Amino acid sequence: MQQTNLVQNSLLSDIDFHLFGEGKHYQIYEKLGAHLVEFDGVTGVYFAVWSPNAQSVSVVGDFNAWNADQHPMERNPMGIWELFIPSLEVGEKYKFVIKNNQQKTTFKTDPYGYQQELRPATASIVTDLSYTWHDQDWLTRRSQSNPHTQAVSVYEVHLGSWLHTGWDTQIENGVPVAVPNKPGARFLTYRELADKLIPYVKEMGYTHIELLPITEHPFDGSWGYQVVGYFAPTSRYGTPQDFMYFVDECHKNNIGVILDWVPGHFPKDEHGLAFFDGTPLYEYADPRQGEHKEWGTLVFNYARNEVRNFLISNALFWFDKYHIDGIRVDAVASMLYWDYAREPGQWLPNQYGGRENLEAAEFLRQLNNTIFEYYPGVLSIAEESTTWPKVSHPTNEGGLGFNFKWNMGWMNDTLRFFHTQPSDRSNVHNTITFSIWYAFTEKFMLALSHDEVVHGKGHLFQKIPGDDRQKLANLRLLFAYMFTHPGKKTLFMGMEFGQTREWNVNADLDWWLLEKDSHQQLKQLVQYLNYLYQNEPALYSDDFTNDGFEWIDCNDVARGLISYIRKDKYSGEMMVTICNFKPNAYQNYWLGVRESGTYVQLLNTDSQMYGGNGLENSLKLPTHQWNSQPWPYALEVNVPPMAALIFKKSEEL
């Protein structure tokens, strides 16, 4: 093979060029970027950056007073610029100065940089990612697991607004409010969050923490969804090793870590990926393809091998270097459709005249195939809001290859139903039952996410009609319905204790609410639901086929009742749930079951211990013979208003 790399002191070989050109160099982050190395007994930092259309590229930093003339780089035939600078060490700040064909120079951060300065500063930092991990047992168990048949209950968190330290509290309209921008106020670090957030999540019984993007981003108000440093955990909360410690501690406590990941678009900030070498390198050239005007961002060019390589290697990087357990891919619909948030004339059809972005679909297939090849047992979750077929089906079945998809239809219908006055819910009864008609077309995750509690939408508590007592009763009912409905679970922070105000990225959660018994009791209910969910395989082992679910009655419209059975695919054990969505109590209600015997009540959301009216046990034992098709037996129950009841045969406990 002819040697194509002409640069002295290079980490790149012909095989690197070949794989990168094919878009299949999945560890390219070990070669591009900035790396502490030794050549011929001399230590220093090797820099490499892909910038094929640049006229010249230089490395600048404190080490050369940011003078672009001091350290020019050499270009190899692949359009990668390289330079080894002796004596530089970890901790050096640097940027690439890129001169385009019009002689304009731009200072760029490193696309593959492992660390960046804290905003508003934007330089990359030479970083060593060494860390001594203690989670090998966790990783081994994960590689042998099947998430489809496991309990998956996710606590979605924005690290910067879960809890701050040093903030003042003032009273606004009679309500204690955390006030930012005070002397001494700051974010908790990754290590402090490990000490505070992990014990809370463990106490609540969640199986995973999902983090809104922690990749480096310049603007706090983007919540992390406009990324500049794809390979850099944000410096807002500490160093790369600090974040590794956070993940390690999660695994020590049997908690998985999911990252929100944003391969759909990136911001136009001059120091970032936009027009990186003076041309549309990472983005599509035509703005009808390459720009999201609604978001003010640019769209990755999924047709370009090197761009796909950048994104896929980035996803693998977080599994490799940070031992994460899953990604939730943001805004998949915006990737799949050329006309997403675009008016006629603002988009270009595909080669067949359709609106589907076939290149993005192929990228997602390659992404998921690669993830599961390298890291079996992890999660790849699509936030996809359309009816694109087989999102969570394997690629060899014509799917996109995700192993879960957020159920946006369930979320929209459920919130619309609970927003309806209880007395009027008979008129929209099919809204709460419709989800089962399509529940097994995808491998769904039920998500009540951050998107539903911002931008004037109000928090869950605010969406529900009635006084505080009625709102909390509805929340208890909603959560019981959610945890017994087929599909894995995701709840955004604050929902578990009934946050009463819309989420504010610049403020703490309203932790003071837990001083009220009613909100503390709601929190205890969610804690018990997580316990029940993980300890009853009928609630999770068969989420994705008709065999795991059966209606008892979905048509009791006048009473506003639904009842159903969940089944364990391995043991055959069954759980019975009845939900009353109206403010009426029903005495001596007969609930059909297939097996006779004595049943026990596992949950009554109207129990006084959870803030209800105190009807502790509504079940009359044992079963009655009924002979009403298809139910040979019946449970006789008293159904409290605005409540859910869960039962199981006693001998199976």
Side-chain angles (χ1 to χ4, degrees):
M1 179 183 294
Q2 182 179 0
Q3 182 69 28
T4 57
N5 182 37
L6 306 179
V7 177
Q8 187 179 14
N9 294 334
S10 174
L11 292 183
L12 293 163
S13 66
D14 282 358
I15 190 63
D16 294 315
F17 296 146
H18 174 73
L19 291 173
F20 186 55
E22 280 194 334
K24 295 180 179 179
H25 196 321
Y26 298 132
Q27 285 78 41
I28 191 64
Y29 51 83
E30 302 279 14
K31 302 297 180 74
L32 300 186
H35 303 278
L36 188 67
V37 297
E38 179 180 313
F39 287 119
D40 299 325
V42 178
T43 61
V45 175
Y46 166 80
F47 297 93
V49 61
W50 178 57
S51 189
N53 302 304
Q55 186 179 77
S56 67
V57 182
S58 300
V59 183
V60 295
D62 290 337
F63 51 85
N64 62 12
W66 301 88
N67 185 340
D69 296 327
Q70 291 294 310
H71 289 98
M73 305 179 77
E74 297 180 68
R75 186 188 193 277
N76 66 38
M78 281 293 294
I80 296 172
W81 298 75
E82 303 173 83
L83 181 65
F84 172 66
I85 304 180
S87 302
L88 292 191
E89 298 178 347
V90 167
E92 292 280 3
K93 293 182 289 186
Y94 70 98
K95 282 189 175 182
F96 298 118
V97 181
I98 297 178
K99 181 184 290 187
N100 67 19
N101 290 329
Q102 286 74 46
Q103 305 302 307
K104 178 184 176 181
T105 59
T106 308
F107 286 70
K108 292 287 190 178
T109 53
D110 183 356
Y112 291 86
Y114 290 164
Q115 188 177 5
Q116 286 187 15
E117 291 183 286
L118 179 63
R119 51 93 178 95
T122 57
S124 299
I125 301 173
V126 177
T127 303
D128 175 14
L129 294 184
S130 61
Y131 178 83
T132 302
W133 289 90
H134 306 88
D135 63 348
Q136 188 54 54
D137 288 346
W138 167 274
L139 297 180
T140 299
R141 292 196 305 271
R142 188 187 71 185
S143 68
Q144 299 167 353
S145 70
N146 178 6
H148 291 155
T149 59
Q150 294 177 324
V152 178
S153 179
V154 180
Y155 189 58
E156 187 189 32
V157 178
H158 177 264
L159 290 180
S161 58
W162 185 76
L163 182 67
H164 294 76
T165 185
W167 282 27
D168 287 347
T169 299
Q170 68 183 31
I171 304 299
E172 295 181 5
N173 300 320
V175 175
V177 177
V179 182
N181 303 321
K182 294 289 183 179
R186 62 175 178 83
F187 295 124
L188 295 180
T189 67
Y190 293 119
R191 289 179 182 266
E192 289 172 328
L193 286 159
D195 293 339
K196 295 180 181 295
L197 175 59
I198 293 173
Y200 181 80
V201 172
K202 186 175 182 179
E203 172 202 356
M204 290 301 300
Y206 293 99
T207 64
H208 292 73
I209 298 173
E210 178 185 328
L211 303 178
L212 270 64
I214 54 92
T215 37
E216 195 59 80
H217 53 283
F219 177 47
D220 289 3
S222 77
W223 312 334
Y225 289 99
Q226 294 194 10
V227 180
V228 168
Y230 274 81
F231 289 81
T234 178
S235 295
R236 287 166 175 81
Y237 317 119
T239 68
Q241 282 75 17
D242 292 338
F243 183 60
M244 292 173 185
Y245 174 82
F246 176 85
V247 176
D248 210 8
E249 287 296 299
C250 283
H251 292 171
K252 179 180 177 181
N253 287 276
N254 292 314
I255 296 169
V257 178
I258 302 168
L259 297 188
D260 275 14
W261 187 61
V262 192
H265 63 121
F266 57 93
K268 298 179 180 179
D269 298 67
E270 189 176 56
H271 66 280
L273 296 176
F275 293 91
F276 189 79
D277 62 359
T279 69
L281 185 65
Y282 285 88
E283 65 270 36
Y284 288 103
D286 192 317
R288 292 171 294 178
Q289 297 174 303
E291 185 175 7
H292 275 307
K293 291 185 180 296
E294 181 182 28
W295 297 337
T297 56
L298 300 174
V299 180
F300 282 105
N301 183 352
Y302 307 109
R304 189 159 198 166
N305 289 348
E306 298 91 343
V307 174
R308 291 200 313 276
N309 201 138
F310 171 79
L311 291 170
I312 295 172
S313 69
N314 178 248
L316 296 181
F317 167 83
W318 291 97
F319 289 105
D320 175 18
K321 299 299 186 182
Y322 289 93
H323 291 202
I324 68 163
D325 303 286
I327 56 173
R328 191 219 62 152
V329 181
D330 181 65
V332 171
S334 76
M335 302 167 63
L336 290 174
Y337 297 97
W338 288 119
D339 63 347
Y340 184 91
R342 295 184 177 97
E343 299 297 327
Q346 295 180 346
W347 59 280
L348 296 177
N350 63 36
Q351 62 193 33
Y352 304 108
R355 64 192 186 102
E356 299 84 6
N357 185 339
L358 303 178
E359 299 156 1
E362 188 55 37
F363 157 71
L364 292 170
R365 294 186 184 101
Q366 183 184 353
L367 167 73
N368 287 314
N369 281 341
T370 307
I371 286 174
F372 295 126
E373 177 185 352
Y374 279 84
Y375 299 101
V378 301
L379 311 183
S380 181
I381 307 163
E383 185 209 14
E384 205 286 311
S385 56
T386 75
T387 56
W388 185 284
K390 297 186 176 182
V391 170
S392 57
H393 290 238
T395 58
N396 60 11
E397 298 176 4
L400 293 182
F402 292 93
N403 56 0
F404 293 111
K405 172 183 173 176
W406 269 14
N407 193 335
M408 310 296 279
W410 174 88
M411 179 271 297
N412 285 315
D413 286 346
T414 298
L415 293 181
R416 185 164 60 250
F417 180 84
F418 275 88
H419 184 71
T420 304
Q421 288 286 347
S423 58
D424 295 331
R425 287 177 180 169
S426 291
N427 298 324
V428 292
H429 186 84
N430 64 320
T431 306
I432 204 67
T433 60
F434 179 66
S435 60
I436 298 299
W437 289 100
Y438 62 86
F440 313 115
T441 59
E442 297 277 4
K443 295 174 179 66
F444 281 121
M445 177 172 282
L446 310 184
L448 295 174
S449 75
H450 67 279
D451 281 327
E452 306 315 312
V453 294
V454 288
H455 299 320
K457 296 178 183 178
H459 224 288
L460 292 187
F461 186 91
Q462 296 168 289
K463 297 177 189 292
I464 295 171
D467 59 23
D468 286 3
R469 189 172 183 85
Q470 293 167 324
K471 289 174 182 288
L472 290 166
N474 272 275
L475 284 177
R476 295 192 300 269
L477 172 58
L478 167 59
F479 293 148
Y481 163 69
M482 176 182 184
F483 273 80
T484 55
H485 188 288
K488 310 309 180 186
K489 326 297 177 187
T490 295
L491 277 179
F492 184 56
M493 63 183 194
M495 292 180 179
E496 75 277 10
F497 61 79
Q499 172 92 10
T500 57
R501 295 185 306 157
E502 192 169 87
W503 172 49
N504 179 358
V505 72
N506 296 312
D508 282 354
L509 298 181
D510 288 337
W511 293 107
W512 60 271
L513 286 169
L514 290 174
E515 297 173 8
K516 296 184 175 184
D517 288 345
S518 56
H519 289 270
Q520 183 69 238
Q521 289 163 332
L522 178 63
K523 174 175 170 280
Q524 291 170 359
L525 173 73
V526 175
Q527 185 178 18
Y528 179 68
L529 283 169
N530 270 318
Y531 168 81
L532 195 65
Y533 173 58
Q534 292 181 53
N535 284 277
E536 295 293 346
L539 296 179
Y540 64 76
S541 68
D542 195 358
D543 274 320
F544 308 121
T545 76
N546 283 300
D547 295 336
F549 177 90
E550 184 177 10
W551 283 117
I552 296 174
D553 192 348
C554 62
N555 296 313
D556 200 343
V557 177
R559 292 188 181 92
L561 298 177
I562 61 172
S563 50
Y564 47 88
I565 293 171
R566 295 298 311 280
K567 308 172 189 177
D568 176 19
K569 68 184 298 182
Y570 301 107
S571 70
E573 291 183 351
M574 299 183 183
M575 305 278 290
V576 178
T577 300
I578 182 168
C579 297
N580 179 8
F581 298 110
K582 286 199 168 186
N584 309 314
Y586 303 107
Q587 303 296 318
N588 305 320
Y589 186 86
W590 283 36
L591 192 64
V593 291
R594 296 195 182 279
E595 298 180 6
S596 64
T598 299
Y599 285 70
V600 65
Q601 176 180 288
L602 298 183
L603 177 67
N604 177 358
T605 64
D606 195 49
S607 170
Q608 191 172 14
M609 68 183 299
Y610 301 126
N613 293 312
L615 182 60
E616 302 304 320
N617 195 336
S618 61
L619 178 63
K620 297 182 178 180
L621 305 174
T623 53
H624 297 291
Q625 190 165 355
W626 196 5
N627 295 324
S628 174
Q629 293 298 325
W631 309 109
Y633 307 99
L635 303 177
E636 186 177 352
V637 299
N638 296 326
V639 185
M642 308 302 305
L645 306 172
I646 302 176
F647 310 105
K648 184 181 177 182
K649 283 190 70 175
S650 60
E651 55 263 19
E652 296 171 352
L653 293 177

